[in-house]
mmCIF file of all heavy atoms in Angstrom:
data_model
loop_
_atom_site.group_PDB
_atom_site.id
_atom_site.type_symbol
_atom_site.label_atom_id
_atom_site.label_comp_id
_atom_site.label_asym_id
_atom_site.label_seq_id
_atom_site.Cartn_x
_atom_site.Cartn_y
_atom_site.Cartn_z
ATOM 1 N N LEU A 89 8.043 -4.968 -19.419
ATOM 2 C CA LEU A 89 8.430 -4.422 -18.122
ATOM 3 C C LEU A 89 7.370 -4.725 -17.060
ATOM 4 O O LEU A 89 7.697 -5.097 -15.934
ATOM 5 C CB LEU A 89 8.635 -2.908 -18.214
ATOM 6 C CG LEU A 89 9.920 -2.421 -18.842
ATOM 7 C CD1 LEU A 89 9.859 -0.915 -19.080
ATOM 8 C CD2 LEU A 89 11.117 -2.776 -17.972
ATOM 9 N N GLN A 90 6.108 -4.565 -17.437
ATOM 10 C CA GLN A 90 5.018 -4.820 -16.499
ATOM 11 C C GLN A 90 5.055 -6.273 -16.019
ATOM 12 O O GLN A 90 4.948 -6.550 -14.825
ATOM 13 C CB GLN A 90 3.678 -4.512 -17.145
ATOM 14 C CG GLN A 90 2.503 -4.781 -16.221
ATOM 15 C CD GLN A 90 1.174 -4.696 -16.937
ATOM 16 O OE1 GLN A 90 1.093 -4.196 -18.059
ATOM 17 N NE2 GLN A 90 0.137 -5.171 -16.304
ATOM 18 N N GLU A 91 5.223 -7.199 -16.944
ATOM 19 C CA GLU A 91 5.267 -8.619 -16.582
ATOM 20 C C GLU A 91 6.478 -8.918 -15.710
ATOM 21 O O GLU A 91 6.379 -9.644 -14.714
ATOM 22 C CB GLU A 91 5.279 -9.469 -17.848
ATOM 23 C CG GLU A 91 3.975 -9.422 -18.611
ATOM 24 C CD GLU A 91 4.050 -10.027 -20.009
ATOM 25 O OE1 GLU A 91 5.170 -10.360 -20.471
ATOM 26 O OE2 GLU A 91 2.992 -10.165 -20.637
ATOM 27 N N GLN A 92 7.623 -8.356 -16.072
ATOM 28 C CA GLN A 92 8.854 -8.586 -15.323
ATOM 29 C C GLN A 92 8.734 -8.059 -13.896
ATOM 30 O O GLN A 92 9.085 -8.758 -12.937
ATOM 31 C CB GLN A 92 10.017 -7.900 -16.037
ATOM 32 C CG GLN A 92 11.337 -7.982 -15.302
ATOM 33 C CD GLN A 92 12.433 -7.164 -15.986
ATOM 34 O OE1 GLN A 92 12.208 -6.560 -17.029
ATOM 35 N NE2 GLN A 92 13.603 -7.137 -15.403
ATOM 36 N N TYR A 93 8.226 -6.851 -13.735
ATOM 37 C CA TYR A 93 8.140 -6.246 -12.412
ATOM 38 C C TYR A 93 6.996 -6.827 -11.588
ATOM 39 O O TYR A 93 7.055 -6.831 -10.360
ATOM 40 C CB TYR A 93 8.099 -4.718 -12.517
ATOM 41 C CG TYR A 93 9.506 -4.207 -12.700
ATOM 42 C CD1 TYR A 93 10.128 -4.273 -13.942
ATOM 43 C CD2 TYR A 93 10.248 -3.763 -11.633
ATOM 44 C CE1 TYR A 93 11.440 -3.887 -14.108
ATOM 45 C CE2 TYR A 93 11.566 -3.363 -11.783
ATOM 46 C CZ TYR A 93 12.150 -3.425 -13.019
ATOM 47 O OH TYR A 93 13.470 -3.053 -13.169
ATOM 48 N N HIS A 94 5.994 -7.365 -12.246
ATOM 49 C CA HIS A 94 4.937 -8.074 -11.522
ATOM 50 C C HIS A 94 5.530 -9.321 -10.851
ATOM 51 O O HIS A 94 5.253 -9.602 -9.682
ATOM 52 C CB HIS A 94 3.799 -8.460 -12.474
ATOM 53 C CG HIS A 94 2.689 -9.184 -11.805
ATOM 54 N ND1 HIS A 94 1.691 -8.531 -11.125
ATOM 55 C CD2 HIS A 94 2.425 -10.507 -11.695
ATOM 56 C CE1 HIS A 94 0.859 -9.427 -10.613
ATOM 57 N NE2 HIS A 94 1.283 -10.637 -10.960
ATOM 58 N N LYS A 95 6.362 -10.045 -11.577
ATOM 59 C CA LYS A 95 7.010 -11.240 -11.028
ATOM 60 C C LYS A 95 7.946 -10.878 -9.878
ATOM 61 O O LYS A 95 7.962 -11.548 -8.836
ATOM 62 C CB LYS A 95 7.776 -11.986 -12.116
ATOM 63 C CG LYS A 95 6.885 -12.685 -13.120
ATOM 64 C CD LYS A 95 7.698 -13.334 -14.230
ATOM 65 C CE LYS A 95 6.787 -13.893 -15.312
ATOM 66 N NZ LYS A 95 7.550 -14.389 -16.457
ATOM 67 N N LEU A 96 8.739 -9.816 -10.058
ATOM 68 C CA LEU A 96 9.642 -9.374 -8.994
ATOM 69 C C LEU A 96 8.866 -8.952 -7.754
ATOM 70 O O LEU A 96 9.254 -9.265 -6.622
ATOM 71 C CB LEU A 96 10.516 -8.211 -9.482
ATOM 72 C CG LEU A 96 11.581 -8.521 -10.522
ATOM 73 C CD1 LEU A 96 12.205 -7.235 -11.046
ATOM 74 C CD2 LEU A 96 12.650 -9.426 -9.930
ATOM 75 N N ASP A 97 7.759 -8.252 -7.963
ATOM 76 C CA ASP A 97 6.919 -7.796 -6.855
ATOM 77 C C ASP A 97 6.310 -8.982 -6.117
ATOM 78 O O ASP A 97 6.253 -9.002 -4.884
ATOM 79 C CB ASP A 97 5.823 -6.866 -7.381
ATOM 80 C CG ASP A 97 5.051 -6.164 -6.284
ATOM 81 O OD1 ASP A 97 5.521 -6.122 -5.132
ATOM 82 O OD2 ASP A 97 3.958 -5.646 -6.582
ATOM 83 N N ASP A 98 5.870 -10.001 -6.844
ATOM 84 C CA ASP A 98 5.310 -11.198 -6.209
ATOM 85 C C ASP A 98 6.338 -11.856 -5.293
ATOM 86 O O ASP A 98 6.004 -12.274 -4.181
ATOM 87 C CB ASP A 98 4.835 -12.207 -7.255
ATOM 88 C CG ASP A 98 3.477 -11.856 -7.837
ATOM 89 O OD1 ASP A 98 2.784 -10.982 -7.275
ATOM 90 O OD2 ASP A 98 3.117 -12.457 -8.862
ATOM 91 N N LYS A 99 7.576 -11.925 -5.750
ATOM 92 C CA LYS A 99 8.635 -12.512 -4.932
ATOM 93 C C LYS A 99 8.864 -11.679 -3.672
ATOM 94 O O LYS A 99 9.046 -12.216 -2.577
ATOM 95 C CB LYS A 99 9.938 -12.614 -5.728
ATOM 96 C CG LYS A 99 9.932 -13.682 -6.789
ATOM 97 C CD LYS A 99 11.260 -13.707 -7.525
ATOM 98 C CE LYS A 99 11.215 -14.679 -8.694
ATOM 99 N NZ LYS A 99 12.470 -14.657 -9.459
ATOM 100 N N ALA A 100 8.866 -10.364 -3.817
ATOM 101 C CA ALA A 100 9.106 -9.476 -2.678
ATOM 102 C C ALA A 100 7.950 -9.543 -1.681
ATOM 103 O O ALA A 100 8.165 -9.445 -0.481
ATOM 104 C CB ALA A 100 9.293 -8.044 -3.171
ATOM 105 N N ARG A 101 6.726 -9.709 -2.174
ATOM 106 C CA ARG A 101 5.563 -9.762 -1.280
ATOM 107 C C ARG A 101 5.581 -10.978 -0.383
ATOM 108 O O ARG A 101 5.002 -10.963 0.694
ATOM 109 C CB ARG A 101 4.263 -9.774 -2.089
ATOM 110 C CG ARG A 101 3.822 -8.391 -2.453
ATOM 111 C CD ARG A 101 2.414 -8.449 -2.905
ATOM 112 N NE ARG A 101 2.330 -7.721 -4.152
ATOM 113 C CZ ARG A 101 1.227 -7.503 -4.799
ATOM 114 N NH1 ARG A 101 0.100 -7.995 -4.362
ATOM 115 N NH2 ARG A 101 1.223 -6.815 -5.908
ATOM 116 N N LYS A 102 6.209 -12.030 -0.840
ATOM 117 C CA LYS A 102 6.282 -13.234 -0.011
ATOM 118 C C LYS A 102 7.073 -12.964 1.266
ATOM 119 O O LYS A 102 6.908 -13.666 2.249
ATOM 120 C CB LYS A 102 6.903 -14.390 -0.798
ATOM 121 C CG LYS A 102 5.993 -14.868 -1.906
ATOM 122 C CD LYS A 102 6.635 -15.959 -2.722
ATOM 123 C CE LYS A 102 5.710 -16.349 -3.871
ATOM 124 N NZ LYS A 102 6.329 -17.313 -4.761
#
Side-chain angles (χ1 to χ4, degrees):
L89 283 170
Q90 179 190 346
E91 291 168 352
Q92 176 186 358
Y93 279 79
H94 180 83
K95 289 176 187 174
L96 290 171
D97 190 17
D98 280 347
K99 288 180 186 177
R101 275 195 229 184
K102 291 177 183 175

